Amino acid sequence: MTSDFEVAPDIHSPEERVRYERGAAVLNAVDGGAAPGVMEALGDVAPAMAHHIVAFGFGDIYSRPGLDPKQRQLVTLGILTALGGCEPQLEVHVRTGLNVGLSPTEIVEALTHAAGYCGFPRALNAIFTAKKVFAERGLLPVAD
């Protein structure tokens, strides 16, 4: 490694622990308990990735002021829908959206709205992913 730049702190450093702990608190508040499984699944192959998901994603991004958790989930659902191929992550965020108070109707409307920007195939994949979560939670049929 070159000395032309400062190396990031180790994920076990005090400053990284603070970010991680802040992120873990936010994640636990919105996720409903599913996140530890994802983090454990990464632990033996990519522990730094697990750390960064929590520290950056939730400790730095989700904890920012300006949007409430419901608004953040609507943005996340739209982006994951537009990206396509993110159905496992979309499933997590549909659950998280429900956990923070989005209704199934609001989620379906957001995914339907995305069709105008990213196309019907991606929106349909997202809606079928949401339907799976709704079925698991006994939330079908979704009323208009």
Side-chain angles (χ1 to χ4, degrees), residues 4-72:
D4 292 344
F5 56 89
E6 185 178 338
V7 176
D10 180 83
I11 64 172
H12 302 293
S13 69
E15 57 266 48
E16 286 297 307
R17 291 302 313 159
V18 168
R19 291 176 63 230
Y20 184 89
E21 289 168 11
R22 181 177 57 240
V26 172
L27 183 56
N28 288 332
V30 301
D31 185 70
V38 174
M39 299 304 108
E40 289 170 13
L42 289 171
D44 64 347
V45 66
M49 176 64 101
H51 170 85
H52 294 305
I53 289 168
V54 175
F56 176 70
F58 292 90
D60 294 344
I61 301 298
Y62 268 72
S63 64
R64 291 178 49 82
L67 295 176
D68 66 37
K70 289 170 68 171
Q71 292 168 320
R72 288 188 188 283

Side-chain angles (χ1 to χ4, degrees), residues 38-114:
V38 174
M39 299 304 108
E40 289 170 13
L42 289 171
D44 64 347
V45 66
M49 176 64 101
H51 170 85
H52 294 305
I53 289 168
V54 175
F56 176 70
F58 292 90
D60 294 344
I61 301 298
Y62 268 72
S63 64
R64 291 178 49 82
L67 295 176
D68 66 37
K70 289 170 68 171
Q71 292 168 320
R72 288 188 188 283
Q73 284 308 305
L74 287 172
V75 171
T76 302
L77 292 171
I79 291 169
L80 291 172
T81 298
L83 285 171
C86 301
E87 285 74 19
Q89 293 78 22
L90 188 60
E91 189 174 326
V92 168
H93 286 281
V94 168
R95 284 191 187 95
T96 301
L98 293 168
N99 292 345
V100 299
L102 289 173
S103 70
T105 301
E106 289 171 314
I107 291 170
V108 169
E109 186 59 32
L111 303 178
T112 300
H113 183 78

